[in-house]
Amino acid sequence: MTRGTGAPRVRIEEWTADDIDLLHRLNTPVMTEHLGGPETEAQVAARHARYLALDGTGQMFRVVLAADGTDTAADTGTDTGTDTGTGAADGDSAARAGETVVGSVGYWELTWRGERAYETGWGVLPEFQGRGIAAAAAREVIAVARAEGRHRALYAFPSVTHAASNAVCRKAGFGFQEECEIEYPKGRRMRANNWRVELG
């Protein structure tokens, strides 16, 4: 699936088996600073399998930037606080001349305080941060989740210390709810900001 935004020119495309290399590029100390650090090889493989297995309960995407993608107000698209390369992937438009895979974004089901809803997370490779890409990709995911009509809300839970990802939430249209405590990864408690956008 391919969707388009305004500026920057960003598309989100369905996650495929080839995107394991992108997942490794996102699994660095810089990208996971607010998530407890990099995962092991086995954990990355398990995450990739979960992304591929999402069926009717969410969807993961790679984020593709057009060659003439336009810079916008800066945001830093490092990973958000929950379950979330340059080069071409086989198949769809990432292989088109001049286009670059720059990160990932997705959404999945959760139960938050008794409400069944969706949660989202994203990551943009460091060399492509500061262009508005993360916010553009998040807006695309909002549109996809809204079109499904399955749940009323989409949440994001960036760390309270991750100013850039909290700014992405605001720019993408989420409304701040409260500061809260979540468990991520399993066994690690962290303070997060609860952001919510209405889907229906």
Side-chain angles (χ1 to χ4, degrees):
M1 175 170 140
T2 302
R3 297 181 59 86
T5 67
R9 292 186 58 194
V10 170
R11 259 197 331 279
I12 59 174
E13 300 178 344
E14 291 185 12
W15 195 263
T16 72
D18 293 322
D19 292 316
I20 183 67
D21 290 337
L22 171 61
L23 202 54
H24 281 294
R25 294 194 67 190
L26 293 167
N27 185 48
T28 66
V30 170
M31 292 296 298
T32 60
E33 177 184 357
H34 299 276
L35 302 175
E39 295 181 315
T40 65
E41 288 292 321
Q43 288 170 326
V44 171
R47 178 179 295 278
H48 183 54
R50 289 198 303 273
Y51 287 177
L52 292 172
L54 286 171
D55 183 14
T57 59
Q59 180 68 59
M60 285 302 298
F61 304 92
R62 60 179 176 261
V63 180
V64 181
L65 179 68
D68 58 348
T70 303
D71 287 0
T72 63
D75 69 68
T76 304
T78 49
D79 280 327
T80 53
T82 50
D83 205 87
T84 88
T86 302
D90 292 337
D92 204 3
S93 57
R96 297 174 190 167
E99 294 185 329
T100 308
V101 178
V102 297
S104 69
V105 67
Y107 65 102
W108 48 87
E109 287 186 325
L110 87 162
T111 300
W112 177 252
R113 296 181 175 171
E115 176 190 19
R116 198 65 177 159
Y118 279 131
E119 178 184 355
T120 185
W122 53 80
V124 173
L125 293 166
E127 60 266 38
F128 298 100
Q129 293 172 13
R131 305 187 189 185
I133 293 170
R139 285 191 291 268
E140 285 299 290
V141 158
I142 292 170
V144 174
R146 180 173 286 134
E148 282 193 356
R150 182 186 295 267
H151 296 303
R152 294 180 55 191
L154 176 71
Y155 287 92
F157 297 95
S159 168
V160 296
T161 64
H162 199 337
S165 279
N166 282 281
V168 169
C169 289
R170 184 174 58 255
K171 293 174 185 177
F174 288 81
F176 176 75
Q177 304 297 298
E178 62 182 344
E179 185 176 320
C180 60
E181 185 176 87
I182 64 172
E183 183 180 15
Y184 190 84
K186 187 175 181 179
R188 174 181 176 266
R189 309 301 295 183
M190 79 174 211
R191 299 298 296 177
N193 285 328
N194 172 7
W195 295 84
R196 173 187 169 114
V197 65
E198 297 296 329
L199 299 178

